[in-house]
Amino acid sequence: MTRKPSTFFITTPIYYVNDRPHVGHAYTTIAADVIARFHRANGEHVRFLTGTDEHGAKIAESAEKAGKTPKKFVDEKAEEFKGIWKSLDISYDTFSRTTSPRHREAVSIFLQKLYDQGDIYRGEYVGLYCVGCEKFLTEKELVDGLCPDHKREPQVLKEQNYFFRFTKYLPKVAAAIESGDLVIEPQERRNEVLALIEQGLEDFSVSRESVKWGIPIPWDKKHVCYVWVEALQNYISDIGYGVDPEMFRTWWPADVHLMAKEILKFHALFWPALLIAAGERPPQKIFAHGFFTINNQKMSKTIGNVIRPEAMVKTFGADATRYLLLSQFPFGQDGNIDEKRMREKYHADLSNNIGNLVSRTSQMIEKFLNGSVRPLKHAWEKDVETVREKLQRMDLYGALAGVMKLATLGNQFIDTEKPWIQAKSGAGVDRTLGKLVTLMVDVGKLLTPFMPSIGERMIQQFQSSTIIKSDPLFPRL
Ligand code: MSP
């Protein structure tokens, strides 16, 4: 069954609710929002999924610490995430929660199917488990006996588990990657996944006996589903897997799963294998962007350098926050978020470049042409097209740099044409400003996915029949 070509299904990871949303979660979610908005503007039927991962030992532990029942705790946390996304103007179409009834149902159907066809078997697992990571670690991965990421001693887990015949399906996953049915980007990430397959992997466990807060294994209610295995299934439970075949066919396979590289193995290997085993296609693309540091240090509560999105929105506003996060380093690579540089970039790129261009152009149209100008073709159409191509390829950083270049070209054009002199001599001012007005509408359109309010404001201002000087788009901080 082929899908309607005009649909576009994009997802972020569903975030653990043991923590408050931080700028790392915001980074991926803003990126996905930009891509979703770009595809919507192209007339595609878009479904943008984000949500929260609410089961497992780690969440149960956090709920207990907070003195709340897990249910109450996750309900509050999910609202907190939604609130932050609202303040950042995130236009998700669906908020996927793993404690929802439709998710529980889909997970049960999916697991039962694999069990009935013999792809899940019972075995004993002995291993070191880190609750912080919600995954098993090997001795080799420990540093001084501790999990290197969470600095805590892993538990020795010995329990009866159900295992998925991962190794049986791994060759099919490899074939899907080789053939391009499953695209993994950027290239280094694809190589990393192929190297993991080369190294050899083992069947993995899909259940936990010691955990209570989770979705019961349908044929053995003493166990719950391993939190990662059910979390991945949110991408299909949300679109009606097992209960609404038509909806499922409309949206699956997803066009892109977006995430950072630390959870690539789950998405690029475990998840496609589970899907192929269940007779479904793998997602079309997995894009794993880089991990960033804050002022050159790992972001951590202990170091105390965690940036909260609400603090950024308070300083810069939603639109500029979105711009500043995505313009720090190329999308896909690792990078650093430098708080000082963000302020500098706010002034240099936003106030002085784009903001200044908007204000000069509108002021001159008001002053020299009584606010009325006939839009003319400008000479930068190729640059506009390049930005669009970059957006299409998810080169968000490159696209933003392209928009900045257009603004620079616009400002230079004003400097060389000198409309104030043209206005005196009576020659050419309407042509100069006519080209600029078209440029301003183009820039507004290119900016809209990144900065929804600013972009809209620019389009409205410069498409209006009377153009007047407006308040500064980016007031100085
Ligand atoms: N719950 C799992 C995902 C399940 S998806 C089926 C999880 N949650 S998480 O809350 O830890 O979110 C991880 C994601 O947050 C990363 O993949 C990335 O999208 C984002 N980031 C968190 N910190 C980040 C950085 N320092 N840098 C870049 N991305 C960051 O894993």
Side-chain angles (χ1 to χ4, degrees):
M1 190 76 62
T2 49
R3 308 176 40 202
K4 285 185 239 121
S6 59
T7 58
F8 185 80
F9 182 26
I10 182 168
T11 68
T12 71
I14 48 168
Y15 305 109
Y16 287 130
V17 287
N18 61 312
D19 192 8
R20 273 163 61 209
H22 58 58
V23 77
H25 308 128
Y27 182 79
T28 314
T29 311
I30 293 169
D33 189 57
V34 170
I35 299 164
R37 286 176 183 272
F38 173 69
H39 283 267
R40 278 192 208 111
N42 283 348
E44 288 161 76
H45 186 199
V46 172
R47 188 173 183 85
F48 165 21
L49 175 153
T50 190
T52 38
D53 192 351
E54 305 183 356
H55 283 134
K58 175 157 75 177
I59 310 294
E61 225 178 54
S62 303
E64 201 181 317
K65 264 196 213 138
K68 290 178 181 154
T69 63
K71 173 84 175 82
K72 186 166 183 340
F73 180 77
V74 299
D75 283 350
E76 287 174 10
K77 285 290 174 178
E79 286 312 308
E80 207 175 312
F81 271 85
K82 286 182 187 170
I84 297 288
W85 298 154
K86 188 154 189 256
S87 74
L88 283 166
D89 222 348
I90 302 297
S91 63
Y92 61 80
D93 298 292
T94 179
F95 193 92
S96 174
R97 297 183 55 189
T98 55
T99 53
S100 68
R102 68 171 177 198
H103 179 70
R104 177 183 284 253
E105 191 176 354
V107 169
S108 302
I109 294 171
F110 190 94
L111 291 177
Q112 187 71 53
K113 180 178 167 65
L114 296 192
Y115 184 66
D116 291 346
Q117 66 191 34
D119 283 326
I120 289 179
Y121 61 94
R122 205 178 157 89
E124 187 178 57
Y125 198 96
V126 187
L128 298 170
Y129 193 79
C130 172
V131 176
C133 304
E134 289 285 15
K135 71 176 187 195
F136 283 102
L137 299 175
T138 59
E139 289 280 357
K140 265 196 282 177
E141 287 172 303
L142 305 184
V143 177
D144 301 328
L146 305 178
C147 160
D149 286 340
H150 295 92
K151 308 276 182 275
R152 61 196 264 181
E153 204 178 321
Q155 307 167 345
V156 181
L157 269 193
K158 179 175 173 187
E159 58 174 44
Q160 287 292 313
N161 273 183
Y162 289 96
F163 287 82
F164 166 59
R165 291 192 198 284
F166 180 45
T167 45
K168 174 175 160 194
Y169 291 98
L170 205 49
K172 293 196 176 164
V173 177
I177 298 172
E178 298 287 357
S179 73
D181 274 352
L182 168 55
V183 176
I184 300 171
E185 285 182 358
Q187 182 76 28
E188 306 103 271
R189 300 280 93 81
R190 181 178 188 264
N191 296 343
E192 192 180 308
V193 170
L194 291 173
L196 278 172
I197 299 178
E198 190 90 346
Q199 269 171 37
L201 292 150
E202 287 170 14
D203 288 352
F204 61 82
S205 137
V206 299
S207 69
R208 291 288 179 273
E209 200 180 8
S210 51
V211 177
K212 295 281 157 304
W213 180 238
I215 299 180
I217 295 289
W219 61 88
D220 186 346
K221 302 260 155 60
K222 285 204 306 293
H223 297 248
V224 301
C225 184
Y226 171 37
V227 64
W228 256 108
V229 168
E230 61 135 312
L232 290 163
Q233 291 176 67
N234 96 89
Y235 301 131
I236 57 172
S237 65
D238 178 78
I239 50 168
Y241 178 82
V243 293
D244 187 342
E246 200 188 320
M247 184 186 193
F248 183 69
R249 266 201 312 278
T250 303
W251 296 108
W252 196 256
D255 289 77
V256 50
H257 287 327
L258 197 63
M259 73 212 69
K261 62 181 189 180
E262 91 286 19
I263 54 177
L264 180 62
K265 184 174 163 188
F266 291 102
H267 282 83
L269 291 172
F270 290 14
W271 179 223
L274 286 162
L275 284 162
I276 292 170
E280 304 299 343
R281 287 172 61 187
Q284 299 180 70
K285 187 187 281 187
I286 288 171
F287 189 101
H289 64 69
F291 230 67
F292 58 74
T293 47
I294 306 285
N295 306 327
N296 293 313
Q297 279 183 308
K298 186 179 166 180
M299 179 164 60
S300 99
K301 277 196 212 159
T302 343
I303 299 172
N305 63 352
V306 180
I307 300 183
R308 298 292 169 187
E310 54 273 33
M312 277 192 76
V313 170
K314 206 168 153 209
T315 310
F316 301 112
D319 280 39
T321 296
R322 295 164 62 107
Y323 174 80
L324 292 172
L325 285 178
L326 293 181
S327 63
Q328 294 289 311
F329 54 88
F331 193 59
Q333 296 177 17
D334 288 337
N336 180 45
I337 295 209
D338 182 323
E339 289 186 284
K340 205 171 126 245
R341 220 177 93 225
M342 286 206 280
R343 299 182 84 85
E344 286 163 12
K345 270 183 91 65
Y346 176 92
H347 288 124
D349 297 357
L350 301 179
S351 309
N352 297 349
N353 198 4
I354 297 213
N356 195 27
L357 177 62
V358 165
S359 123
R360 292 169 93 188
T361 306
S362 56
Q363 183 176 28
M364 288 190 291
I365 296 172
E366 180 182 347
K367 190 163 162 200
F368 302 139
L369 302 171
N370 288 323
S372 152
V373 63
R374 194 162 64 87
L376 293 173
K377 258 177 89 133
H378 58 61
W380 308 289
E381 250 152 47
K382 250 177 100 184
D383 299 278
V384 171
E385 200 35 49
T386 307
V387 174
R388 294 182 55 81
E389 279 161 16
K390 292 198 163 153
L391 264 162
Q392 190 73 43
R393 279 190 276 117
M394 301 203 287
D395 176 5
L396 306 182
Y397 176 86
L400 280 177
V403 178
M404 279 310 139
K405 182 182 164 201
L406 278 166
T408 305
L409 289 169
N411 274 313
Q412 283 169 355
F413 184 65
I414 297 177
D415 296 342
T416 50
E417 297 299 302
K418 302 191 173 48
W420 49 94
I421 292 181
Q422 295 175 327
K424 272 193 205 142
S425 67
V429 68
D430 46 350
R431 246 189 306 127
T432 303
L433 294 175
K435 289 176 186 173
L436 282 167
V437 90
T438 307
L439 176 69
M440 296 321 313
V441 172
D442 284 344
V443 168
K445 285 184 184 160
L446 295 174
L447 274 181
T448 301
F450 294 98
M451 300 201 256
S453 311
I454 295 285
E456 266 311 313
R457 247 176 91 182
M458 284 177 67
I459 296 169
Q460 278 185 15
Q461 182 181 8
F462 290 100
Q463 273 182 343
S464 146
S465 50
T466 312
I467 297 169
I468 50 164
K469 185 177 186 311
S470 50
D471 294 336
L473 289 184
F474 302 101
R476 301 195 68 81
L477 298 172

